């Protein structure tokens, strides 16, 4: 029921549907504005003294790590590299990252890889070995185990079920 937030979300949808030049930057900017408005207003839980499970106050500090994950998920990424991208010590980075996302940085990386892999699995004809390599998994067996643990179905069974 919030007109200002609805206006932003409608603009995001419009940008994604029309895909004008630099639409990704515009979507990123609009979503940043959306979250900043939410943070500024606070939540009912904060006003009542209960904090929400995920704390977005420090999101801007971990955004470089999230960007690094999105751009380099297919490569080996270390915790030290992610922390360095944010200009933090490894320990401070881990604490802030978990506070903002309710995930460890390595869990976030794994989830991102699995979501990309799921997209490739369902929308391409690549075999599992190619998908595993494209998504930064050391081998197809490890990829299949991680996929099954995350989605509760093996990659091949998932592909067959969808097709």
């Amino acid at each position: 029921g919030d007109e200002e937030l609805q206006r932003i979300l409608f603009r995001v949808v419009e940008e994604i549907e029309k895909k004008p030049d630099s639409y990704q930057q515009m979507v990123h900017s609009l979503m940043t504005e959306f979250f900043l408005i939410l943070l500024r207003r606070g939540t009912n839980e904060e006003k009542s003294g209960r904090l929400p499970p995920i704390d977005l106050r420090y999101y801007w500090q971990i955004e470089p790590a999230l960007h690094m994950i999105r751009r380099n998920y297919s490569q080996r990424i270390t915790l030290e590299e992610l922390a360095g991208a944010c200009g933090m010590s490894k320990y401070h980075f881990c604490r802030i990252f978990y506070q903002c996302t309710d995930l460890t940085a390595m869990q976030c990386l794994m989830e991102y890889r699995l979501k990309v892999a799921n997209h490739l699995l369902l929308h391409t004809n690549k075999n599992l070995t190619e998908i595993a390599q494209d998504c930064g998994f050391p081998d197809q067996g490890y990829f299949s185990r991680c996929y099954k643990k995350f989605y509760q179905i093996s990659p091949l069974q998932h592909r067959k079920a969808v097709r």
Side-chain angles (χ1 to χ4, degrees), residues 4-47:
E4 185 177 18
L5 294 177
Q6 282 181 346
R7 178 189 55 79
I8 293 170
L9 291 177
F10 284 130
R11 289 211 39 223
V12 167
V13 170
E14 183 180 297
E15 288 289 324
I16 292 171
E17 287 176 348
K18 292 182 180 178
K19 292 187 173 45
D21 291 341
S22 304
Y23 81 96
Q24 290 173 323
Q25 289 82 0
M26 179 60 81
V27 168
H28 184 270
S29 173
L30 289 166
M31 291 309 298
T32 300
E33 180 182 359
F34 180 85
F35 285 116
L36 288 172
I37 290 169
L38 287 178
L39 287 173
R40 183 166 284 163
R41 290 181 184 172
T43 63
N44 290 336
E45 289 85 6
E46 286 177 309
K47 291 173 185 169

Side-chain angles (χ1 to χ4, degrees), residues 131-142:
I131 292 172
Q133 289 173 346
D134 289 352
C135 295
F137 292 93
D139 60 68
Q140 184 261 317
Y142 181 65

Side-chain angles (χ1 to χ4, degrees), residues 82-147:
L82 292 172
C86 298
M88 296 181 203
S89 74
K90 181 171 72 169
Y91 303 104
H92 183 65
F93 170 75
C94 288
R95 190 173 70 252
I96 296 294
F97 195 95
Y98 189 82
Q99 188 176 350
C100 290
T101 65
D102 208 28
L103 295 170
T104 68
M106 293 298 108
Q107 286 172 327
C108 184
L109 173 60
M110 178 63 72
E111 282 192 16
Y112 191 79
R113 285 176 172 165
L114 287 167
K115 288 176 183 177
V116 171
N118 186 56
H119 178 79
L120 293 174
L121 182 75
L122 301 179
H123 300 288
T124 71
N125 290 322
K126 291 184 175 191
N127 64 43
L128 293 184
T129 302
E130 291 173 313
I131 292 172
Q133 289 173 346
D134 289 352
C135 295
F137 292 93
D139 60 68
Q140 184 261 317
Y142 181 65
F143 161 64
S144 293
R145 286 189 304 276
C146 292
Y147 190 96

Side-chain angles (χ1 to χ4, degrees), residues 67-97:
H67 184 71
M68 182 181 229
I69 287 171
R70 287 189 302 268
R71 296 190 98 201
N72 303 308
Y73 66 89
S74 64
Q75 301 167 10
R76 183 177 179 275
I77 301 174
T78 66
L79 195 54
E80 289 79 10
E81 290 170 329
L82 292 172
C86 298
M88 296 181 203
S89 74
K90 181 171 72 169
Y91 303 104
H92 183 65
F93 170 75
C94 288
R95 190 173 70 252
I96 296 294
F97 195 95

